[in-house]
């Protein structure tokens, strides 16, 4: 290489390095507002909440350090542990059913004409824009023991009225139904988008081999949608176990605490107990539960990116 080539190459490299440095500065500048907002409204409150969880603190007195006493009290509280297990039961009642119904609905949408598919997508998305409070009131009217729409419909067939939200055996199931209804819209549209993204050549090749709907679903659709299904499984689990509005409005956690889910338990404790440190410790322990279960799901479900 000649001396002239070396001298002309160095300015070019310096210009390239200068361009990279300028792009890096611009990227940091654009990220700064987001990082600042996350620090002020997420990171600092989380750190301060962790600090208060080790304190005997209320709005009426200064905090006093008590070590892990708040955590011990929460972990030895049978009511808190019962709400965690009830939250898992609620997840099992809602998430699998919601995923199955959303998958069937998405399969219907991609198999019909575009005009009819647009109507179906608008119809299924309507519950998503309804407030949880309004949905709670609607289903409270449906479940009402005397004069409720559900008991009136069952009465036509000679079935005696059922206390859907007044009987501990039925109350949690009654709350699960509107939770599924509210979550169906977004879940279905995400699955529709995932199905549309699957190359049609896969189905054409399978049809040439004589594969039916079930074979195509089992060997093409489900494997191609595994990352989307994992995402919906995790988000559905987190949303279900943190359900708050429905049990608060429909049952206030009753009867006999049969619908008191973890967030409602923490809210009631925060509202009624002067020791705020207990409520914060319970909230952080719930966060640990959510993170641990999510990590386990990611570990045992292969979520590697699919390669065509």
């Amino acid at each position: 290489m000649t001396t002239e080539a070396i001298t002309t190459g160095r300015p070019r490299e310096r210009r390239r390095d200068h361009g990279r440095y300028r792009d890096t500065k611009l990227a940091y500048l654009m990220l700064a507002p987001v990082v600042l907002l996350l620090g002020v409204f997420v990171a600092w409150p989380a750190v301060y909440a962790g600090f208060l969880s080790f304190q005997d603190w209320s709005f009426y007195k200064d905090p006093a350090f008590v070590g892990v006493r708040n955590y011990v009290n929460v972990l030895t509280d049978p009511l808190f542990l019962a709400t965690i297990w009830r939250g898992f039961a609620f997840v099992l009642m809602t998430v699998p059913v919601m995923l199955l119904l959303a998958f069937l609905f998405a399969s219907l949408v991609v198999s019909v004409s575009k005009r009819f598919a647009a109507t179906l997508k608008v119809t299924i998305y309507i519950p998503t824009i309804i407030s949880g409070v309004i949905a709670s009131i609607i289903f409270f009217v449906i479940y009402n023991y005397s004069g409720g729409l559900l008991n009136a419909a069952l009465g036509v067939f000679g079935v005696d009225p059922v206390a859907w939200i007044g009987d501990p055996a039925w109350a949690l199931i009654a709350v699960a139904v509107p939770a599924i209804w509210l979550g169906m819209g977004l879940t279905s549209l995400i699955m529709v988008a995932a199905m549309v993204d699957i190359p049609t050549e896969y189905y054409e090749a399978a049809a040439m081999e004589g594969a039916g709907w079930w074979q195509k679903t089992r060997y093409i659709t489900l494997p191609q949608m595994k990352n989307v299904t994992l995402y919906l499984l995790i988000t559905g689990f987190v949303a279900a176990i943190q359900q708050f509005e429905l049990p608060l409005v429909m049952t206030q956690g009753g009867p006999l605490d049969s619908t008191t889910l973890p967030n409602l338990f923490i809210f009631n404790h925060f509202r009624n107990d002067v020791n705020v440190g207990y409520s914060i410790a319970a909230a952080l322990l719930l966060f640990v539960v959510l993170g641990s279960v999510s990590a386990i799901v990611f570990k045992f479900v292969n979520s590697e990116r699919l390669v065509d």
Side-chain angles (χ1 to χ4, degrees):
M1 182 179 293
T2 64
T3 305
E4 182 180 358
I6 295 176
T7 55
T8 56
R10 287 176 179 174
R12 188 179 300 113
E13 292 178 359
R14 284 196 294 267
R15 287 194 299 270
R16 188 183 301 114
D17 293 340
H18 179 72
R20 291 174 181 172
Y21 177 71
R22 183 177 58 189
D23 293 341
T24 302
K25 287 179 60 178
L26 180 61
Y28 283 133
L29 183 63
M30 297 180 68
L31 288 173
V34 178
V35 174
L36 179 62
L37 291 174
L38 287 175
V40 172
F41 295 104
V42 177
W44 170 243
V47 172
Y48 191 62
F51 168 76
L52 290 179
S53 67
F54 295 100
Q55 310 290 322
D56 180 9
W57 174 75
S58 72
F59 295 104
Y60 310 103
K61 63 181 180 179
D62 295 331
F65 182 75
V66 294
V68 296
R69 189 181 72 184
N70 288 328
Y71 289 95
V72 173
N73 291 339
V74 173
L75 292 174
T76 56
D77 188 345
L79 296 178
F80 176 76
L81 298 179
T83 62
I84 295 296
W85 290 114
R86 194 175 299 118
F88 284 123
F90 190 75
V91 170
L92 293 177
M93 291 178 184
T94 55
V95 176
V97 176
M98 183 173 62
L99 291 179
L100 177 60
L101 293 178
F103 180 82
L104 295 176
F105 182 84
S107 300
L108 174 63
V109 169
V110 298
S111 63
V112 298
S113 63
K114 291 184 178 181
R115 179 175 299 179
F116 188 41
T119 303
L120 290 176
K121 286 187 284 186
V122 171
T123 303
I124 196 64
Y125 192 73
I126 289 177
T128 305
I129 63 177
I130 297 177
S131 166
V133 175
I134 297 176
S136 301
I137 297 173
I138 293 173
F139 277 87
F140 181 85
V141 174
I142 294 174
Y143 291 139
N144 192 18
Y145 181 80
S146 57
L149 298 178
L150 182 56
N151 281 333
L154 293 176
V156 175
F157 301 97
V159 180
D160 294 333
V162 178
W164 298 105
I165 56 178
D167 186 347
W170 290 103
L172 193 61
I173 299 175
V175 175
V177 172
I180 296 171
W181 182 65
L182 289 172
M184 270 281 295
L186 186 59
T187 304
S188 299
L189 292 186
I190 292 176
M191 284 195 172
V192 169
M195 289 183 181
V196 171
D197 195 47
I198 299 175
T200 57
E201 291 81 0
Y202 295 170
Y203 296 104
E204 293 172 356
M208 293 178 62
E209 296 294 331
W213 178 85
W214 170 244
Q215 287 77 19
K216 294 178 183 179
T217 300
R218 180 180 178 183
Y219 296 107
I220 299 176
T221 307
L222 292 178
Q224 291 290 317
M225 291 180 60
K226 67 176 182 177
N227 289 336
V228 173
T229 305
L230 175 62
Y231 166 77
L232 293 174
L233 179 64
I234 295 297
T235 55
F237 163 76
V238 173
I241 202 171
Q242 293 190 102
Q243 180 57 248
F244 173 74
E245 291 179 327
L246 294 176
L248 175 64
V249 179
M250 293 179 64
T251 63
Q252 292 80 49
L256 302 178
D257 291 329
S258 60
T259 58
T260 301
L261 297 177
N263 270 355
L264 183 57
F265 172 84
I266 295 170
F267 171 76
N268 289 334
H269 212 289
F270 175 80
R271 182 176 56 180
N272 299 323
D273 191 357
V274 295
N275 182 15
V276 182
Y278 178 98
S279 302
I280 296 176
L284 292 178
L285 286 174
L286 176 61
F287 171 77
V288 172
V289 171
L290 296 177
S292 300
V293 173
S294 300
I296 292 173
V297 173
F298 274 113
K299 180 177 178 62
F300 287 99
V301 178
N302 184 11
S303 60
E304 295 180 359
R305 184 177 180 84
L306 291 174
V307 178
D308 292 338

